Amino acid sequence: MLTGCGAPPELRDPSSAPTGTGAPTTPGPTGTPSTAPATPPVDTPTATPDAGLVATACRNGPTGQRVVQLVRGRGGVLPDNVRVRVRTGPLCAADWQYTVLEVTGHEELQVVTRGRAAAPKLVTAGTDVCTIEVRATGPVGIQTLACDAGPVVGPGA
């Protein structure tokens, strides 16, 4: 009985053989089979650097003038009659900031602050700002600037 049927069409003409990926098909939304993609989409996680690992120029931190006002004001670190210029920073890591000030007639002053741009809080200021608070709770980027760089050496030292 089977001799009268002949070869199936896909075996008679090799070019008419269906091509496929060999992947199983799943019914589409209409119930008809759909072919699976040859390579599944891969979700590549994008690396988001921790904001505290590296100190960078502050985009949302206090300005240099705000830091100067802070050390002259309640901080009482600098008197009003001393001339001050921002040499470095503010540099931000997480919600901490690091600034170096040139003080006319005195050594450079390092300043570590933390908090919002409009209302930063003075953490420490001086020629060596690697305090226990900075080492214990400061972000790595600030610790690197404040502790690993060592104290600022003034002119003639």
Side-chain angles (χ1 to χ4, degrees), residues 25-35:
T25 59
T26 56
T30 59
T32 58
S34 63
T35 58

Side-chain angles (χ1 to χ4, degrees), residues 11-122:
L11 293 179
R12 276 186 252 150
D13 184 8
S15 64
S16 69
T19 59
T21 61
T25 59
T26 56
T30 59
T32 58
S34 63
T35 58
T39 51
V42 177
D43 288 333
T44 307
T46 54
T48 53
D50 183 346
L53 291 178
V54 177
T56 59
C58 296
R59 288 189 289 153
N60 298 320
T63 64
Q65 278 309 109
R66 181 67 188 108
V67 172
V68 170
Q69 290 171 349
L70 186 63
V71 294
R72 285 190 189 222
R74 284 191 216 171
V77 177
L78 291 175
D80 289 335
N81 63 347
V82 175
R83 195 170 156 186
V84 178
R85 183 177 80 82
V86 177
R87 183 177 71 89
T88 304
L91 301 174
C92 291
D95 68 338
W96 291 59
Q97 303 87 33
Y98 175 86
T99 308
V100 177
L101 305 174
E102 288 181 359
V103 183
T104 303
H106 300 278
E107 294 179 84
E108 288 183 329
L109 184 67
Q110 296 176 66
V111 182
V112 177
T113 54
R114 73 184 295 187
R116 297 185 337 258
K121 305 279 187 237
L122 181 63

